[in-house]
């Protein structure tokens, strides 16, 4: 798989989430798509990477959430040379704006389909 | 505004994020859209609500992240009667699957446009 698709595995809490929201500027779709696919392949080799989910709407607003075991894994990915270069290029060429949030996942639940449904799914709590 | 659109304001950390990822089943789009708009109006009246971002792709996979000041605000929204009813209806009628994660936002940054760009945007750190 060359890009995030569908649900990330539900890892045990606590772990960490990198929440990246962005507005594409509509330029260089081929370059952007190639870089996104390359970075998704790279991050899967990153120690402590747990999974990622991504969605981008028809207006080019997107949210990608990448999950890691801990802050050290996030820092290592942040400092990955190819990731850093792509990030710096993207800020100047692909995005009209972006926001990045680092968060500690305290609880995680899933529901339907079976591959996303631990027992917790039956509960109506968050 | 009747639905989450674009960037949420960058609130000071720490605060909390409710990360809801879901796969629509493609059914009852009118009912789903009406409920989503209604819930977005309701959550904005919720004490402790800081903002939300949402994106859904052409395949019906979506991520919505709602930000709250604290866990008490999340619990109050979770227990909101209309929200609870919509959530229970949605699990049976609108989604092929979903995942919910509650996370404590430790750091937040933004970059371009100006309305999403505090000084931290100039840094290349996460």
């Amino acid at each position: 798989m060359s890009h995030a698709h569908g649900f990330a595995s539900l890892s045990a809490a606590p772990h960490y989430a990198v929440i990246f929201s962005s507005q594409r500027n509509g330029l260089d779709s081929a370059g952007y798509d190639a870089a996104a696919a390359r970075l998704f392949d790279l991050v899967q080799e990153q120690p402590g990477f747990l999974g990622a989910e991504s969605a981008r709407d028809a207006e080019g607003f997107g949210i990608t959430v990448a999950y890691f075991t801990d802050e050290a894994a996030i820092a290592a990915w942040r400092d990955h040379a190819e990731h850093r270069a792509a990030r710096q290029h993207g800020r100047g060429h692909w995005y009209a704006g972006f926001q990045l949030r680092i968060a500690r996942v305290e609880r995680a639940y899933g529901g339907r389909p079976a591959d996303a449904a631990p027992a917790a799914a039956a509960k109506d709590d968050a």
Side-chain angles (χ1 to χ4, degrees), chain A:
Chain A
M1 188 168 64
S2 63
H3 63 289
H5 184 75
F7 294 104
S9 60
L10 272 172
S11 302
H15 55 275
Y16 283 79
V18 178
I19 306 168
F20 178 72
S21 55
S22 63
Q23 177 62 53
R24 282 275 286 122
N25 59 10
L27 304 175
D28 186 26
S29 292
Y32 171 79
D33 292 344
R38 169 64 177 164
L39 289 174
F40 186 66
D41 290 342
L42 283 177
V43 74
Q44 292 183 84
E45 304 166 359
Q46 198 69 17
F49 175 71
L50 296 172
E53 299 179 347
S54 190
R56 188 171 300 279
D57 66 23
E59 289 69 48
F61 185 78
I63 301 172
T64 294
V65 188
Y67 297 98
F68 294 87
T69 51
D70 52 41
E71 290 253 30
I74 292 172
W77 175 235
R78 176 199 68 202
D79 294 337
H80 185 292
E82 192 168 346
H83 180 212
R84 182 182 292 273
R87 205 161 62 232
Q88 292 172 335
H89 181 80
R91 291 179 181 188
H93 296 77
W94 296 324
Y95 298 121
F98 67 88
Q99 293 186 351
L100 184 71
R101 295 168 171 95
I102 311 299
R104 181 180 189 272
V105 177
E106 309 282 359
R107 300 188 296 287
Y109 308 95
R112 272 192 304 278
D115 66 6
K123 301 179 193 165
D124 185 43
D125 52 11

